[in-house]
Amino acid sequence: MTPVHFAFSATFLLGLTGLAFHRTHLLSALLCLEGMMLSLFMALSLWTLELNSTNFSAAPMLLLAFSACEASAGLALLVATARTHGTDRLQNLNLLQC
């Protein structure tokens, strides 16, 4: 494994462990998801450059577009939960109390 591949794998795993173990606020979970998507974008871009193929050149841009949609939906949920519940703590978000 090259150092570049190790760096992208480590970045993705750090985002995954942050998402799994540090789930107190919705904003921190969204930031971990965004870091994971950024590492996937960089790895996919590097993979298409290594292949020297034009068939996969649109894949990183498609992933970036889906990542932007995911981020906007997450921020909309963050604003909605902050308005209704008064906080973004994930422990206070109980679907049975709505």
Side-chain angles (χ1 to χ4, degrees):
M1 180 180 285
T2 64
V4 175
H5 289 107
F6 177 74
F8 291 138
S9 300
T11 321
F12 183 79
L13 288 176
L14 279 175
L16 188 64
T17 56
L19 184 64
F21 295 123
H22 190 65
R23 293 184 301 179
T24 56
H25 293 281
L26 182 60
L27 184 61
S28 64
L30 289 175
L31 282 174
C32 289
L33 280 174
E34 199 63 33
M36 289 169 57
M37 289 300 286
L38 184 63
S39 69
L40 282 176
F41 169 72
M42 294 297 290
L44 193 59
S45 298
L46 180 71
W47 181 61
T48 56
L49 285 175
E50 284 179 356
L51 286 180
N52 291 329
S53 176
T54 58
N55 294 338
F56 299 113
S57 63
M61 295 308 285
L62 187 65
L63 181 73
L64 196 62
F66 283 133
S67 176
C69 292
E70 176 257 333
S72 65
L75 286 176
L77 285 173
L78 178 69
V79 168
T81 56
R83 284 184 180 174
T84 58
H85 295 285
T87 184
D88 70 332
R89 291 184 58 89
L90 291 176
Q91 294 173 351
N92 296 340
L93 300 178
N94 190 359
L95 292 177
L96 297 177
Q97 291 178 347
C98 293

